[in-house]
Amino acid sequence: MSTNAPIAAIVGAAETTEMGRIPGASQLQLHLDAALNALADAGLRPSDIDGIATAGETPDSIALQLGIVPRWIDATSVGGCSFIMHVRHASHAIQAGLADTVLITHGESGRSRVAGSGFPVPVPGSLQQQFETPYGTVGPPTMFPLPVLRYLKTYGHDAEALARVAVIQREWAGLNPRASQKDPITIDDVMNSRMISYPFTKLMCCLVTDGGGALILTSAERARDFPQKPVYVVGTGESMETPLISQMRDLTTSAAFRVSSREAFRMAGITHADVDHLMLYDAFAHLPIYGLEDLGFCAPGEAPDFIREGHTAPGGFLPVNTNGGGLSYMHSGMYGMYALQESVRQMRGIAPAQVHGASVSVTHGVGGMFSAASTVVMTNEL
């Protein structure tokens, strides 16, 4: 299998030293811890960095603390897929000569709430505040049920389809020593856990944790000069649909998912058969279902059966969310960085649940409850 020429290469990747509950570190400290770990992974010093991208914190905060004066910055913040977009933007900036070496950082004190930025709430006068918030839809647990209930009704599935996603994510987490939740669970466990907002029970919802991660990108030509196995970025995509969950063109599918992934696959020059490993943002249990269908791995309405047949589970032919995902591995608020980290580990061949012979990994994320999407295709081969 061959891909198109790489746009850039990931030469440094690391998460925070601790994960899960870190009451002794602020949000900014988590960004910096991850950044220093990624620099060490790449064998670099802060002075080697000339580009910074981040969300949650601001690039100037990162630059100040690390002593960097960058010539390229990106503060794109569209929710959980922001960091996946940063990879896209940084790759093309490097290709255009706007930066040589870019640091992307993430950190959130999601559980301990130590100097955290907090979850954004609709501001007065916004579309959400005018047209949705008065009816009780504020944040993921109350916004996501609308499309999910339409999907289940349209295609004749029930909530057990969501529960099965959580069960399989826990199977993967059981193979990962750093996962926050590793104990096996059953569909009954998920269905009988506390109801949060119908049809979501607690075990269908993401974890709330502390942590972060960072990536370092440079040109593909320079990649072999670094100590770690290069991971090449060969395709990227991004899109947006609507900030109002009620105004999706079709509640059973995400237009942003389709546009973003189609662009990434086109740029990479790959087909679905070329994908060995897939990371689908799973803040809530329905998102892998939408991801499998909107990215084109399943026809509309068929993802629950695809999952039930074991294709995404350990031993399946399309391993999905091999770190345990946002449901069982980590979810500090914006999950995209953790999905990227697992794709990098798989391409380096060092993942706890390594997919044998994997050469192409796709990371796909969502932001703002279906309002934004971004996709990155990685490979370990030229």
Side-chain angles (χ1 to χ4, degrees):
M1 202 242 43
S2 63
T3 61
N4 289 336
I7 312 162
I10 297 170
V11 295
E15 292 169 330
T16 46
T17 306
E18 297 179 68
M19 302 271 275
R21 188 178 181 91
I22 316 172
S26 69
Q27 175 178 283
L28 178 56
Q29 286 175 304
L30 294 171
H31 275 261
L32 298 173
D33 179 43
L36 292 172
N37 288 345
L39 286 164
D41 183 67
L44 295 174
R45 298 168 298 177
S47 57
D48 297 314
I49 301 296
D50 63 351
I52 294 176
T54 193
E57 281 294 330
T58 58
D60 55 338
S61 296
I62 307 300
L64 171 67
Q65 293 295 314
L66 293 177
I68 299 168
V69 181
R71 63 189 184 101
W72 180 87
I73 61 171
D74 184 2
T76 299
S77 184
V78 292
C81 66
S82 299
F83 311 99
I84 303 173
M85 282 193 188
H86 293 158
V87 171
R88 172 178 167 88
H89 300 171
S91 296
H92 291 281
I94 290 166
Q95 192 176 49
L98 303 179
D100 293 322
T101 313
V102 174
L103 170 67
I104 303 172
T105 71
H106 167 241
E108 285 178 293
S109 184
R111 183 175 182 84
S112 300
R113 307 307 305 150
V114 181
S117 56
F119 194 87
V121 296
V123 298
S126 67
L127 293 174
Q128 298 96 316
Q129 189 70 26
Q130 293 181 73
F131 300 112
E132 287 188 347
T133 306
Y135 300 97
T137 52
V138 184
T142 52
M143 294 177 74
F144 273 144
L146 182 64
V148 171
L149 290 171
R150 170 50 60 192
Y151 177 92
L152 295 176
K153 181 175 178 62
T154 297
Y155 294 113
H157 298 293
D158 58 28
E160 287 196 3
L162 308 177
R164 189 168 289 108
V165 172
V167 170
I168 291 175
Q169 296 305 102
R170 188 62 64 86
E171 290 180 25
W172 284 114
L175 303 173
N176 190 340
R178 294 199 90 190
S180 297
Q181 300 290 337
K182 294 185 281 289
D183 293 339
I185 54 176
T186 66
I187 288 178
D188 284 344
D189 291 332
V190 179
M191 295 296 292
N192 294 326
S193 61
R194 180 164 59 91
M195 180 60 65
I196 301 300
S197 180
Y198 187 81
F200 294 122
T201 64
K202 183 177 180 180
L203 289 176
M204 297 176 190
C205 304
C206 63
L207 301 167
V208 181
T209 57
D210 306 329
L215 296 171
I216 297 173
L217 280 73
T218 191
S219 66
E221 292 74 22
R222 293 181 61 207
R224 297 189 184 278
D225 297 335
F226 292 83
Q228 303 296 344
K229 181 177 183 179
V231 177
Y232 300 101
V233 177
V234 290
T236 65
E238 64 183 44
S239 185
M240 304 190 87
E241 184 175 356
T242 170
L244 298 173
I245 200 78
S246 63
Q247 300 305 304
M248 290 176 67
R249 291 165 174 80
D250 180 344
L251 291 169
T252 69
T253 177
S254 166
F257 278 25
R258 298 195 308 274
V259 171
S260 173
S261 59
R262 185 167 60 240
E263 174 65 9
F265 276 54
R266 181 200 64 78
M267 188 180 297
I270 63 167
T271 68
H272 295 87
D274 296 320
V275 178
D276 303 307
H277 174 253
L278 180 60
M279 294 300 295
L280 294 172
Y281 198 119
D282 66 326
F284 285 69
H286 67 295
L287 287 170
I289 293 173
Y290 279 74
L292 286 167
E293 295 180 8
D294 289 339
L295 269 65
F297 292 96
C298 298
E302 293 184 359
D305 291 336
F306 185 85
I307 293 168
R308 179 179 52 79
E309 291 163 4
H311 300 313
T312 64
F317 73 83
L318 182 62
V320 174
N321 295 345
T322 50
N323 62 351
L327 297 177
S328 290
Y329 177 62
M330 273 287 296
H331 194 291
S332 51
M334 293 186 286
Y335 173 72
M337 176 59 78
Y338 305 111
L340 289 163
Q341 293 284 336
E342 177 66 7
S343 282
V344 171
R345 286 191 290 264
Q346 289 287 345
M347 292 298 91
R348 286 180 170 181
I350 60 170
Q354 181 62 43
V355 177
H356 179 70
S359 63
V360 173
S361 177
V362 173
T363 302
H364 176 81
V366 62
M369 286 63 73
F370 285 134
S371 70
S374 192
T375 314
V376 169
V377 181
M378 304 180 196
T379 184
N380 51 26
E381 297 180 353
L382 281 179

